[in-house]
Amino acid sequence: MSYKVLARKWRPQHFRDMLGQEPVLRALINALDTNRLHHAYLFTGMRGVGKTSLARILAKCLNCETNGVSASPCGECSACRDIEAGRYLDLIEVDAASNSKVDETRELLEDVSYTPSSGRYKVYLIDEVHMFSKHSFNALLKTLEEPPGHVVFLLATTDPHSIPLTVLSRCLQFNLKRMVPGALANYLSTILEKESIEFDRPALDLIARASEGSVRDALSLVEQAAAFGQGAVRLSEVESMLGRVSVDSVLGLIESLGNADLPQLFDRVETLAEYSPDFAEVMGEILTLLHRMALLQVVPGSVSEDTPGYERLTRLAEDIHPDELQLFYQIGTHASRDMPFAADPREVFDMALLRMNTFRPQLDGDTGKGSNDSLSSASTDAAAGSSQQANAATAPVSASLPVRGEVSAGGALRAAALAAARGEAAPDAGTATGSTAVPAAQPIADAATESAVVADAEPLADTTAASIPDRSDIRPQQWHQIVSELDVSGMPKQLASNCELVSAVSGHITLRLESVSEHLNTPRFRDRLESALSQWLDAP
């Protein structure tokens, strides 16, 4: 027997074989079971989602000799076998792309009035019907208005907007959905197991995304990959064949970016470049994953666990600050717009990654991942002279105290100002690296000029010591110092940072969370914070 390609071998033969089209199937099955049949059906959808396959199954349902008109054709009678083989006389299949002239349409419709030769219904299956000319549609319209009772029209198209409204109004229209990548990859794995073809699951995930939801395209790519890989579907070979990258590879880029590890980041970019990918598509994949991470941060559980790379995606969503994610996404979006106009898209891609790292926001407790020190709103509150607000602003003071442009993040001015805010002695200016030596008193005065936080530094001295010696007696104004000492990071640390301490009595700690940060209040983040507090207190 001659070889049959997978797309033809695994073409659905019954409604139960159709993948992911439950709403359409339900409507058709109910119509068949109650014998409420329409004379014209229009199936729309992208390529390869099963439009013509569904039409042929419906033709079987109408003409099955064993079960009659039903949603379960036997598949064994002569009518079912002939329809499957494409030789059934009462199933007239027409390709509108090659038969678009009005004379051909009129010739086709001349036999409509004649009864079926052997079946119950004469079925006209017109594929890509939108390719008909205006005059052909007019000729078809007359028949659709007053069709004989023994005729059923099944129309299929990828472009329903090109069909005249007069034709659309005389058809029952069903839109077939494109396949979800996860479900499509599962379907491919089932077929390959039955075909005894070895495969890597990540390779099938990549093929499912590359096929853009088309089952036929996915099967064709699997067959091509098997031929490319000498009978096996392997991830590295699929990446090379398609010029696309796996989810794990893209998550590796985001991970390096989140850690501000530029050498590792561009090593990974070089590894991807060996497969000659379309860097515009790679940027698109990065944006897709950033979008999913942002959803996970705000709405936990919004991303399905079947999503490729789910565990790693979840971990990165916890480790990367929401502000950084938003910045990465915005810069990536602008880079995607620029790539079509660039001589070398790789250059735009590299520059986008550099901008993501360079302009990341300065976060609480951040010691140098970003390059921009921003003025904390807490500094303004402290300048107003409110001691309580200044105490609450201690941590922001340490991380984002404004400095002059010529002094680096580790310069003498910043070091002296931080020391004053903590109630410590000013360091020797000559020992500070990366700045010009100045008298010890002068940086403190300059810092006071830059921000009034230093003017209120004295009341903070007792509550923000290097560590809290008596952990059994915790005061509310010490909370931000406690957060900095907790063994916690990522989103749980953001939960703690956005809280204020209400009371700490007999092992019971009560925190108050502002309403705008309620999305951080999840059981998982609370459990991690509670565990860190128990460890810090050395008590439950």
Side-chain angles (χ1 to χ4, degrees):
M1 181 181 292
S2 60
Y3 175 75
K4 183 179 288 188
V5 298
L6 293 178
R8 293 185 58 198
K9 183 177 180 179
W10 292 94
R11 180 189 288 271
Q13 302 300 332
H14 298 85
F15 285 141
R16 62 178 177 270
D17 299 330
M18 294 292 296
L19 179 65
Q21 306 297 343
E22 287 76 12
V24 176
L25 299 180
R26 181 178 179 180
L28 292 176
I29 290 172
N30 290 340
L32 289 165
D33 289 342
T34 58
N35 200 26
R36 299 173 65 88
L37 301 175
H38 202 270
H39 64 274
Y41 295 88
L42 175 64
F43 301 114
T44 67
M46 67 170 292
R47 67 190 186 282
V49 293
K51 298 184 296 296
T52 55
S53 295
L54 184 59
R56 290 175 182 172
I57 295 172
L58 185 55
K60 287 183 185 179
C61 295
L62 296 173
N63 288 300
C64 179
E65 297 173 354
T66 303
N67 296 335
V69 177
S70 73
S72 303
C74 68
E76 300 296 333
C77 66
S78 60
C80 290
R81 291 199 304 269
D82 288 346
I83 290 174
E84 183 177 341
R87 57 173 181 263
Y88 191 63
L89 294 178
D90 291 321
L91 174 60
I92 300 95
E93 295 193 30
V94 180
D95 179 16
S98 55
N99 297 274
S100 60
K101 296 181 180 179
V102 63
D103 293 337
E104 296 168 334
T105 305
R106 287 172 178 166
E107 183 180 349
L108 171 70
L109 299 175
E110 282 179 357
D111 297 332
V112 167
S113 59
Y114 297 109
T115 58
S117 58
S118 60
R120 194 174 295 105
Y121 288 93
K122 181 178 288 187
V123 180
Y124 284 84
L125 172 52
I126 305 177
D127 196 13
E128 299 299 340
V129 68
H130 67 275
M131 298 295 290
F132 268 171
S133 66
K134 179 179 179 181
H135 295 294
S136 294
F137 274 122
N138 289 335
L140 177 64
L141 181 61
K142 183 62 178 177
T143 305
L144 289 178
E145 286 176 345
E146 300 175 358
H150 59 266
V151 174
V152 174
F153 286 93
L154 305 179
L155 314 180
T157 179
T158 57
D159 186 13
H161 302 291
S162 298
I163 300 176
L165 294 177
T166 51
V167 174
L168 290 175
S169 65
R170 288 164 173 81
C171 301
L172 286 185
Q173 183 174 343
F174 297 97
N175 182 45
L176 278 67
K177 301 179 297 183
R178 63 178 67 206
M179 297 300 100
V180 178
L184 184 52
N186 292 336
Y187 178 69
L188 295 178
S189 66
T190 301
I191 291 178
L192 292 183
E193 288 173 356
K194 294 180 179 179
E195 292 286 335
S196 299
I197 297 177
E198 296 182 4
F199 64 90
D200 295 336
R201 175 55 193 245
L204 298 187
D205 292 329
L206 188 57
I207 288 174
R209 289 189 292 120
S211 64
E212 299 178 345
S214 169
V215 181
R216 184 177 63 235
D217 287 4
L219 289 171
S220 299
L221 288 175
V222 162
E223 204 155 25
Q224 182 181 349
F228 189 80
Q230 298 181 342
V233 181
R234 301 300 183 195
L235 176 60
S236 60
E237 294 169 344
V238 170
E239 289 178 343
S240 178
M241 180 186 76
L242 297 178
R244 296 176 71 112
V245 296
S246 65
V247 171
D248 283 339
S249 299
V250 180
L251 287 173
L253 295 179
I254 298 175
E255 182 179 50
S256 299
L257 188 62
N259 295 331
D261 190 341
L262 291 184
Q264 183 188 63
L265 174 63
F266 285 99
D267 281 345
R268 286 175 168 173
V269 174
E270 284 296 330
T271 301
L272 293 182
E274 295 176 2
Y275 300 104
S276 302
D278 183 342
F279 280 98
E281 290 187 358
V282 177
M283 183 58 71
E285 294 291 340
I286 290 176
L287 294 177
T288 297
L289 294 177
L290 291 175
H291 166 256
R292 291 175 182 170
M293 291 164 60
L295 286 178
L296 282 171
Q297 290 179 342
V298 179
V299 187
S302 59
V303 178
S304 171
E305 294 184 4
D306 297 332
T307 302
Y310 175 79
E311 293 183 0
R312 195 175 183 186
L313 193 72
T314 304
R315 178 167 52 82
L316 288 174
E318 295 177 359
D319 293 341
I320 300 178
H321 193 277
D323 290 352
E324 291 184 330
L325 276 185
Q326 295 297 327
L327 179 72
F328 295 165
Y329 191 92
Q330 190 67 20
I331 292 176
T333 301
H334 283 285
S336 296
R337 298 171 186 168
D338 295 341
M339 281 186 178
F341 308 103
D344 184 1
R346 166 70 187 276
E347 293 179 358
V348 180
F349 185 82
D350 288 348
M351 292 301 295
L353 295 181
L354 288 174
R355 286 197 295 271
M356 290 177 186
N357 180 75
T358 302
F359 297 109
R360 69 202 312 153
Q362 186 78 25
L363 306 174
D364 291 351
D366 198 341
T367 57
K369 285 203 292 189
S371 63
N372 296 335
D373 290 332
S374 60
L375 177 61
S376 170
S377 61
S379 301
T380 305
D381 296 337
S386 171
S387 176
Q388 182 178 1
Q389 291 175 335
N391 290 337
T394 303
V397 169
S398 300
S400 57
L401 189 68
V403 296
R404 287 199 173 99
E406 69 274 15
V407 182
S408 67
L413 174 60
R414 183 178 180 86
L418 294 180
R422 296 176 180 138
E424 301 171 352
D428 190 300
T431 62
T433 58
S435 64
T436 305
V438 293
Q442 186 60 35
I444 300 177
D446 288 346
T449 303
E450 292 281 355
S451 170
V453 173
V454 177
D456 199 30
E458 202 59 39
L460 301 179
D462 293 336
T463 62
T464 58
S467 62
I468 300 175
D470 186 3
R471 298 187 177 184
S472 63
D473 181 19
I474 302 175
R475 287 169 288 172
Q477 58 265 36
Q478 295 173 318
W479 175 245
H480 286 285
Q481 177 64 23
I482 295 172
V483 172
S484 67
E485 296 182 7
L486 292 178
D487 183 17
V488 68
S489 61
M491 300 301 289
K493 184 172 183 179
Q494 292 304 313
L495 172 60
S497 299
N498 283 278
C499 288
E500 64 177 358
L501 180 62
V502 177
S503 64
V505 181
S506 302
H508 294 275
I509 294 180
T510 304
L511 303 177
R512 180 185 292 115
L513 179 66
E514 54 184 351
S515 59
V516 296
S517 302
E518 182 60 30
H519 64 278
L520 298 170
N521 187 17
T522 67
R524 183 177 181 183
F525 297 160
R526 287 200 307 272
D527 290 345
R528 290 184 62 179
L529 177 56
E530 180 179 354
S531 176
L533 279 169
S534 297
Q535 181 180 356
W536 186 83
L537 287 169
D538 196 21

